Amino acid sequence: MVSSSFLKHPIPVGGEPRHVKSVTNMLIARGHKVALTIDDQHLSSASMPGLDATFSPTLLFPRLVNKAFPIDLAVYVAFWRFLRSWRPDIVHLHACLDFSLVPIIVAARAGVPVVVTVHSSWPVCFRHGLCYNEDGSCVERFSRRICSACLAYGRRIENKRRVPIAVMSVILLGAWWARRRVFRHVGRFIVPSAIVGRRIRDAGISTEQISAIPYDLPTDDFSVRSWVARPGGEGVRLLCVGRLEPGKGVQYLLHALREVCAVHPDLNLTLTVVGDGSFRPELEQLTASLDLRGAVRFIGAQLRSRLPDLYADTDLVVIPSLSEALPYVALEAGTIGVPVVATHVGGIPEIFGNDAIIVPPMDATALARGILAVLSDRDAANTRAARARERFRTNYGCDTMVNRIETVYAELRDSKTQIAHRPRSDSEAAFTRSVDPKRHR
């Protein structure tokens, strides 16, 4: 059994590469041979012990062209040769943008089953990953329409060329038609949450092709410990962990912090922001303009091995994201048992239920109210966090996730067709009902 994946970065700093690394290590530990297919030459078999092979194709067309119509001829030839020489049992993709349609086409031609893990809600708005308005101003971001304006804008930014929006619309419509045909060859789409499953179903993916397997919490470089409330009188400490990009919503958290400080100036409140990214200069400038420089610390990206200490030294974790599938910071905070205030995006409401304060995204006032709700009733917040800790440690372990992934592999490998038509378990049936409620009324 073999998993072959596209990985965009050699260092697992985001959710997708971290998940790929975790799954790869677990499969290797269980005796499977794994080849990793990447688009970065820096990752080698030596950097991830146990890898049987790594393959880094070279793009023939510019990256933006491949985003619009991701079938690169050079990658096609290279992947076909690699597939014939390595002969995998399963091709497992973790990125269906860029040139990742090529492995689906090649694997279908070779008769190898394909599994795709969806780490975002990409087909709902075709250009997910191309959006240049991740601050929430793009009205098409959560619609089913194809946003050709965003791609035309990106074409001007990256390639210094102007393409009429009407022409880009025709290109994208043709590309989406091609994608839909290619996706028929995918045996199973694995989604981390029901909301992502519903979005790809609404984009035209059959419910029978969708399986829900939540992420695990990798513990190889993350020490799981139980959070203990800090003694009073030392001020209030908030923690935000994530890449500093507009879509992570830290700008709304800063405005919310200003509102909290205005209501309770005596709180001695401190926000620690862990992470780095292209949006950091704007966030630091916003911090200064809101007169929060004494209350906010930007400490940059940190090793995961240091995160447990940061969680232990906080009173509240805030997740202000505008869009997520299932963020690892939510799994980390829930497993450790820290009180959480988070936005109602992706799988966050599904995994926390009533065990966290959930507020609307892009709403600084609602975020401020959520923070104040936790600070005004610490006992209730600690009780919610303790319930979340017990549930997370039971439901989001590596073994549980990889067992379910192996089950999908075995079903597709042993079936004559790509989609395994079989009786579903109770948990999968419940997920199917959540993805397609009208069908199961």
Side-chain angles (χ1 to χ4, degrees):
M1 188 181 300
V2 177
S3 175
S4 178
S5 311
F6 277 82
L7 182 62
K8 295 182 180 180
H9 304 287
I11 301 174
V13 295
E16 177 187 323
R18 186 180 299 171
H19 176 78
V20 171
K21 180 183 177 183
S22 174
V23 172
T24 299
N25 287 337
M26 288 293 292
L27 290 173
I28 292 172
R30 295 186 179 202
H32 303 299
K33 292 184 177 181
V34 179
L36 204 57
T37 312
I38 60 174
D39 65 347
D40 194 304
Q41 298 287 344
H42 294 92
L43 183 64
S44 64
S45 299
S47 61
M48 288 185 67
L51 276 181
D52 196 69
T54 56
F55 165 57
S56 302
T58 301
L59 291 175
L60 177 65
F61 302 121
R63 180 168 299 279
L64 196 63
V65 174
N66 282 290
K67 284 178 180 290
F69 199 81
I71 303 178
D72 193 295
L73 296 179
V75 178
Y76 183 95
V77 173
F79 195 80
W80 174 253
R81 290 175 178 172
F82 179 77
L83 211 64
R84 291 191 65 182
S85 64
W86 214 67
R87 299 187 179 280
D89 299 306
I90 294 287
V91 170
H92 189 164
L93 301 177
H94 290 268
C96 261
L97 290 173
D98 300 333
F99 47 82
S100 294
L101 290 190
V102 169
I104 300 176
I105 298 171
V106 174
R109 181 180 175 187
V112 180
V114 178
V115 177
V116 172
T117 294
V118 183
H119 295 277
S120 61
S121 54
W122 40 265
V124 183
C125 185
F126 176 88
R127 55 89 198 100
H128 178 87
L130 312 176
C131 186
Y132 294 84
N133 300 302
E134 290 188 345
D135 58 353
S137 63
C138 180
V139 296
E140 306 294 349
R141 183 163 180 80
F142 301 109
S143 74
R144 296 184 60 184
R145 295 181 57 187
I146 294 173
C147 191
S148 53
C150 274
L151 186 55
Y153 175 72
R155 179 76 170 168
R156 292 197 301 273
I157 295 298
E158 294 187 15
N159 299 89
K160 310 301 181 184
R161 296 180 181 179
R162 290 184 176 272
V163 178
I165 292 178
V167 174
M168 192 61 69
S169 295
V170 173
I171 294 173
L172 289 178
L173 286 170
W176 180 233
W177 176 84
R179 281 174 181 262
R180 291 279 292 274
R181 291 182 64 87
V182 171
F183 288 157
R184 295 175 186 174
H185 297 290
V186 175
R188 195 69 53 82
F189 287 90
I190 295 176
V191 296
S193 61
I195 184 63
V196 177
R198 287 193 292 271
R199 286 177 176 174
I200 68 170
R201 179 213 61 191
D202 292 342
I205 305 300
S206 168
T207 304
E208 297 300 317
Q209 287 178 270
I210 304 172
S211 292
I213 302 179
Y215 295 152
D216 68 316
L217 179 62
T219 57
D220 54 337
D221 55 355
F222 185 89
S223 176
V224 175
R225 64 186 72 165
S226 296
W227 177 82
V228 178
R230 297 187 317 111
E234 298 183 4
V236 176
R237 298 177 185 176
L238 275 58
L239 182 67
C240 179
V241 181
R243 291 179 293 108
L244 299 187
E245 303 294 343
K248 292 300 182 179
V250 179
Q251 63 273 33
Y252 294 96
L253 175 56
L254 294 176
H255 284 285
L257 191 65
R258 184 71 184 90
E259 294 186 26
V260 173
C261 291
V263 174
H264 293 287
D266 57 336
L267 278 180
N268 189 19
L269 191 148
T270 302
L271 168 65
T272 300
V273 181
V274 180
D276 219 331
S278 62
F279 202 46
R280 178 170 177 170
E282 286 83 351
L283 292 173
E284 291 177 334
Q285 184 178 1
L286 177 61
T287 300
S289 67
L290 294 174
D291 196 23
L292 292 172
R293 277 179 291 192
V296 179
R297 298 189 307 145
F298 292 91
I299 64 173
Q302 302 292 316
L303 294 174
R304 288 194 75 232
S305 58
R306 197 196 164 195
L307 290 182
D309 292 332
L310 292 171
Y311 285 122
D313 196 38
T314 192
D315 298 298
L316 172 65
V317 171
V318 185
I319 308 173
S321 300
L322 312 185
S323 176
E324 294 282 3
L326 187 60
Y328 270 91
V329 60
L331 295 176
E332 292 165 353
T335 301
I336 287 180
V338 189
V340 171
V341 173
T343 49
H344 194 287
V345 295
I348 292 177
E350 297 173 30
I351 62 172
F352 278 108
N354 296 321
D355 296 334
I357 300 293
I358 306 296
V359 301
M362 295 183 287
D363 190 336
T365 300
L367 204 56
R369 289 172 181 166
I371 294 172
L372 289 171
V374 171
L375 300 182
S376 63
D377 193 345
R378 300 287 189 92
D379 291 338
N382 295 344
T383 300
R384 288 192 297 267
R387 288 200 307 261
R389 179 178 62 229
E390 298 305 316
R391 189 159 43 81
F392 276 51
R393 293 187 180 185
T394 301
N395 296 336
Y396 301 109
C398 286
D399 287 332
T400 301
M401 178 194 68
V402 176
N403 286 343
R404 298 180 69 180
I405 291 176
E406 283 184 317
T407 299
V408 171
Y409 287 171
E411 290 168 355
L412 296 181
R413 182 193 59 189
D414 296 338
S415 64
K416 294 183 180 179
T417 58
Q418 288 273 351
I419 302 175
H421 298 285
R422 55 168 174 77
R424 297 204 161 193
S425 66
D426 292 341
S427 61
E428 288 177 309
F431 164 74
T432 302
R433 287 192 295 271
S434 67
V435 168
D436 199 355
K438 293 182 179 178
R439 181 177 172 185
H440 295 276
R441 284 179 179 173

